Amino acid sequence: MSESDNSSTTSVQQKCQITTERCGTLTVIVQGDLAQVAKKAVFLTVHDMGSNCNAFNYFLDHPAVAEIKQRSIFIHVNVPGQEDNASDLPEDFTFPTMQTLGEDLVTVIDQLRVNLVVGLGEGAGANILARFGMAHPNRCLGLVLIHATCTTAGVMEYFKDKIIGWRLQNIGMNPTAEQYLVFHKFGAQLEQAENKEKLIQEYTEKLKTSINPKNLKRYVDAFMNRKVISGQLEKNLKVETLLVTGSRPSHVHTAQTMYSYMNKAKTSLLKIDGVGDVLMEAPEKFSQSLLLFCKGIGVLTSAAMPGIERQRSICVEETEGGPRRRTKSMEEYDQQIGRAHV
């Protein structure tokens, strides 16, 4: 089922082919040692359109994430046909819906013998994981959803995606499709952005050389035809959730709209100013909020947090026996996440 890749000195990696009931065979990359699953946090990641599980590499390799990475296992799921240099999906393959993908993710963790996960998804992957959280609340400790959406495609989005889908199917990767996917990933106001040139160049090169355009078109179609979940969120999404958005993504309003439909007692919204791609442009800020969220749901509780831990160590209360350390309450953690409009 799997093959080991020990090229990384910091973690063991396994490539697994996991057969699901309705999504076919999924290529899954396990980063970390599953033999340590009882001792570590386990993250289940799902990527956005125009990428694959490698989209999380830059973030996870950043020094600011070292503490989280050392204490965690990451299960990276590739949506069918989206892995690097993938062959065309068979013509008779029924590409799964967003709902089917979300529901069938449980097969991945079942076969890997993992009981509980924290979902980490971006864009279309965030939509998939929201559905997973509602379908399998007993297998999900919490969700971290970047640039998530809960509504159906709007009229303009629908026709734009239709045009892009046609170009991907008939022309392959092309300037129009590339521009749309760059806009989707990095957001509006590109001309005002700083330090984006290299990131965008690397991303477009990957689109040209690594992502199969016909398979990508099928993922775009599935996302475009997604069913609305806004009416289900408050009642059915019972796990703690952190919604994350940059101030410059292509659909900044979608995360805010999703937040409006959710149970506010279990949901926090983090908006990071001045960025479009949170994972690539703000790894330090996002990793701090991610760790705060994880501590709040009872995982990575012993992981040090630069800045925050130092503040805690000098925060004391006078008692009859003298000063003692005052630790933050869960409510204070939640307030800090909610205030993290950075």
Side-chain angles (χ1 to χ4, degrees):
M1 182 182 74
S2 64
E3 56 187 66
S4 296
D5 178 5
N6 295 310
S7 58
S8 171
T9 59
T10 59
S11 63
V12 177
Q13 290 195 23
Q14 283 187 315
K15 180 179 180 181
C16 308
Q17 302 294 329
I18 295 182
T19 302
T20 64
E21 181 180 354
R22 295 172 295 170
C23 298
T25 299
L26 299 176
T27 299
V28 176
I29 305 297
V30 179
Q31 187 175 4
D33 186 2
L34 283 173
Q36 303 293 316
V37 69
K39 302 177 181 179
K40 295 191 174 186
V42 182
F43 291 87
L44 180 68
T45 76
V46 185
H47 60 87
D48 197 4
M49 301 181 298
S51 63
N52 51 39
C53 68
N54 294 328
F56 295 94
N57 288 348
Y58 179 85
F59 173 70
L60 293 177
D61 288 341
H62 195 279
V65 192
E67 187 80 12
I68 296 174
K69 186 177 178 181
Q70 180 183 359
R71 298 168 183 266
S72 305
I73 298 167
F74 290 86
I75 300 172
H76 302 292
V77 177
N78 284 300
V79 172
Q82 308 306 305
E83 58 271 17
D84 282 353
N85 306 309
S87 302
D88 290 353
L89 291 169
E91 293 294 333
D92 60 352
F93 175 74
T94 301
F95 198 91
T97 64
M98 296 287 102
Q99 185 66 30
T100 300
L101 283 163
E103 292 173 356
D104 271 17
L105 284 178
V106 72
T107 304
V108 174
I109 58 176
D110 279 346
Q111 292 198 26
L112 295 176
R113 299 181 180 180
V114 173
N115 187 35
L116 290 168
V117 297
V118 178
L120 174 59
E122 181 182 23
N127 185 276
I128 291 168
L129 279 170
R131 297 169 190 271
F132 166 75
M134 288 190 287
H136 305 287
N138 294 330
R139 308 297 299 277
C140 185
L141 277 172
L143 293 172
V144 181
L145 307 179
I146 305 169
H147 300 155
T149 180
C150 65
T151 56
T152 55
V155 174
M156 291 304 295
E157 182 186 359
Y158 178 86
F159 284 110
K160 186 183 293 182
D161 285 350
K162 273 289 189 184
I163 294 170
I164 298 304
W166 179 86
R167 288 179 177 269
L168 288 170
Q169 179 69 31
N170 295 280
I171 304 175
M173 203 61 67
N174 61 86
T176 302
E178 288 174 22
Q179 290 167 8
Y180 170 73
L181 291 167
V182 166
F183 178 75
H184 175 81
K185 183 172 181 63
F186 292 97
Q189 303 174 345
L190 287 176
E191 68 280 359
Q192 300 177 20
E194 297 179 0
N195 303 320
K196 273 206 178 87
E197 291 79 5
K198 182 180 178 182
L199 297 177
I200 293 173
Q201 183 178 0
E202 291 174 351
Y203 178 66
T204 54
E205 185 63 26
K206 182 176 179 62
L207 286 175
K208 293 176 184 177
T209 59
S210 301
I211 303 296
N212 183 309
K214 291 185 178 179
N215 295 350
L216 172 57
K217 186 258 183 188
R218 301 181 77 169
Y219 190 13
V220 170
D221 284 346
F223 182 63
M224 178 184 67
N225 293 316
R226 64 191 182 273
K227 303 297 184 183
V228 64
I229 58 173
S230 55
Q232 307 171 41
L233 292 171
E234 185 169 9
K235 180 180 178 181
N236 297 333
L237 189 55
K238 301 176 181 179
V239 302
E240 298 286 336
T241 303
L242 175 62
L243 299 178
V244 185
T245 181
S247 62
R248 293 177 177 169
S250 55
H251 303 295
V252 63
H253 64 280
T254 60
Q256 297 169 331
T257 299
M258 187 166 179
Y259 178 71
S260 71
Y261 285 105
M262 297 181 70
N263 182 345
K264 305 304 184 297
K266 291 182 173 292
T267 310
S268 298
L269 174 62
L270 171 68
K271 185 176 178 181
I272 301 179
D273 286 340
V275 304
D277 186 328
V278 169
L279 291 175
M280 298 186 75
E281 295 178 74
E284 299 97 337
K285 295 175 181 178
F286 174 58
S287 63
Q288 188 176 91
S289 296
L290 175 63
L291 186 49
L292 272 172
F293 175 77
C294 288
K295 286 175 179 288
I297 61 174
V299 296
L300 299 176
T301 53
S302 62
M305 182 177 295
I308 299 299
E309 289 298 316
R310 288 196 296 273
Q311 292 169 18
R312 290 181 62 188
S313 66
I314 64 174
C315 184
V316 297
E317 287 181 338
E318 292 294 331
T319 66
E320 292 182 3
R324 66 176 176 85
R325 175 186 288 192
R326 176 181 178 274
T327 58
K328 288 182 181 291
S329 69
M330 291 287 290
E331 181 180 0
E332 288 174 305
Y333 276 129
D334 290 341
Q335 289 173 350
Q336 186 148 10
I337 290 176
R339 291 197 304 268
H341 181 83
V342 291

